[in-house]
Amino acid sequence: MTPIAVTVLTGFLGAGKTTLLRQILHTQHQMKIAVIENEFSEIPIDNQLIGDRATRITTLSNGCICCTRSGELEAALLDLLDSVDKGEVRFDRLMIECTGMADPGPILQAFFAHEIICERYVLDGVITLVDAVHAMSQLDQFPLAQSQIGYADRIVLTKTDVAGECPELAERLQRINARAPVYRMIQGDIDPALLFDIRGFMLEENVVAARPLFYRVAPEQNAVSSIVVELDYPVALTAISKVMEELLAGFADNLMRYKGMLWIADQPCRLLFQGVQRLYSADWDREWQPDETPHSVLVFIGMQLPETEIREVFARLRPACLI
């Protein structure tokens, strides 16, 4: 049974999430899309704005689906599967629209921690919308806005018709998340091919989609940042495992997303890994090819990460014969 692809749509208040979702539902007629949305108000409003094009709309009204104690998100996911198994509904993709005040981390962990959900759903990617007009002040005032960008596989700039070119914002977004390419959207108009089938949670070699475009440190102090570590030497599997365990023990609550491709000593294949907060997975990939130079690339995105300490601990893995 093919797992159902899941797209998580996040972004700060007023970024345009409902506008984008409505546009997708009204233009992608070849896809059957189910929607889970979250609102603060007791009376659902967004499902009326979205219209009736979704296969099913499940509204969570507890104010915040990032609350791990409620279990409301897990219940909604299982309820959708039950309807599928009974033949009551059929859909190809699920979109989860988070409230603007939701932290995506616990939402993503639901797809790692629940056995049935892990089997029947597959996370495709996190799409974070950023209001180009108000983003700089929001990033200054609300660490949550930075967190939403840190979790992203794709960043979508909205209201660019009003804001115009935003080089400082683009630089700041790159500093927060070096993994995620940035696209522009006006009034919900964007090619869905840029948002779907991005395989953001697959163990693949494209750890960093593009090289960072900005090297000057932005004057704003971001609580969230991305660290790209590149190693041109092999590392012992036991040593890298110990380092990762130490990092998770010390900074798991600060880590949002991390991903890597590793050159393991005395192994012909590449080791790929990825994680969200405390939950991670790793697997052997294909063999290194004769025409490629083995190397390691690791990306860590998190809040107030000790960059110097992280770089030093990996630097100490260099074999003595190469020092």
Side-chain angles (χ1 to χ4, degrees), residues 18-28 187-190:
T18 301
T19 300
L20 173 59
L21 183 56
R22 178 181 175 87
Q23 178 75 4
I24 290 173
L25 293 175
H26 282 256
T27 58
Q28 299 303 301
Q187 297 297 322
D189 186 15
I190 188 172

Side-chain angles (χ1 to χ4, degrees), residues 57-71:
I57 296 176
T58 300
T59 301
L60 306 181
S61 57
N62 64 337
C64 184
I65 57 176
C66 66
C67 177
T68 56
R69 292 173 296 177
S70 70

Side-chain angles (χ1 to χ4, degrees), residues 196-209:
F196 293 156
D197 301 323
I198 60 180
R199 301 172 64 87
F201 288 81
M202 298 292 103
L203 287 173
E204 297 181 321
E205 62 183 282
N206 295 323
V207 178
V208 182

Side-chain angles (χ1 to χ4, degrees), residues 223-242:
V224 178
S225 62
S226 57
I227 302 171
V228 181
V229 178
E230 299 186 67
L231 310 176
D232 60 359
Y233 47 84
V235 294
L237 183 57
T238 53
I240 197 71
S241 297
K242 183 178 180 181

Side-chain angles (χ1 to χ4, degrees), residues 97-304:
E97 181 191 0
C98 305
T99 176
M101 297 303 291
D103 182 344
I107 298 168
L108 303 179
Q109 288 194 75
F111 294 91
F112 285 81
H114 193 289
E115 182 177 358
I116 296 176
I117 292 173
C118 289
E119 179 183 349
R120 300 289 299 276
Y121 294 98
V122 59
L123 277 171
D124 183 38
V126 178
I127 310 300
T128 299
L129 274 63
V130 176
D131 178 344
V133 175
H134 303 102
M136 292 295 277
S137 61
Q138 291 170 347
L139 293 172
D140 288 339
Q141 297 178 56
F142 303 100
L144 174 63
Q146 297 184 29
S147 297
Q148 292 169 344
I149 294 168
Y151 281 106
D153 295 292
R154 297 286 187 272
I155 297 171
V156 178
L157 278 179
T158 65
K159 306 179 185 177
T160 54
D161 53 331
V162 178
E165 295 296 325
C166 309
E168 291 184 5
L169 176 58
E171 179 180 355
R172 192 168 184 181
L173 296 176
Q174 181 71 74
R175 289 286 300 172
I176 294 173
N177 189 334
R179 292 180 57 253
V182 180
Y183 302 106
R184 292 170 172 263
M185 180 183 82
I186 298 176
Q187 297 297 322
D189 186 15
I190 188 172
D191 183 359
L194 299 175
L195 310 180
F196 293 156
D197 301 323
I198 60 180
R199 301 172 64 87
F201 288 81
M202 298 292 103
L203 287 173
E204 297 181 321
E205 62 183 282
N206 295 323
V207 178
V208 182
R211 301 300 302 168
L213 300 177
F214 306 97
Y215 295 92
R216 179 178 64 83
V217 176
E220 297 83 3
Q221 294 299 311
N222 297 321
V224 178
S225 62
S226 57
I227 302 171
V228 181
V229 178
E230 299 186 67
L231 310 176
D232 60 359
Y233 47 84
V235 294
L237 183 57
T238 53
I240 197 71
S241 297
K242 183 178 180 181
V243 166
M244 290 303 300
E245 289 173 3
E246 291 175 353
L247 287 176
L248 290 177
F251 308 109
D253 292 336
N254 301 73
L255 280 171
M256 297 169 184
R257 298 281 298 272
Y258 47 101
K259 204 167 189 178
M261 175 182 69
L262 295 170
W263 177 16
I264 303 298
D266 302 319
Q267 293 291 334
C269 297
R270 310 178 306 177
L271 182 66
L272 305 181
F273 76 92
Q274 67 152 336
V276 174
Q277 296 179 339
R278 298 179 184 273
L279 303 177
Y280 69 95
S281 59
D283 201 2
W284 294 105
D285 189 37
R286 63 169 176 81
E287 293 186 358
W288 294 101
Q289 299 301 305
D291 60 345
E292 64 181 334
T293 302
H295 64 290
S296 297
V297 182
L298 307 94
V299 180
F300 300 93
I301 301 173
M303 182 171 293
Q304 297 176 336

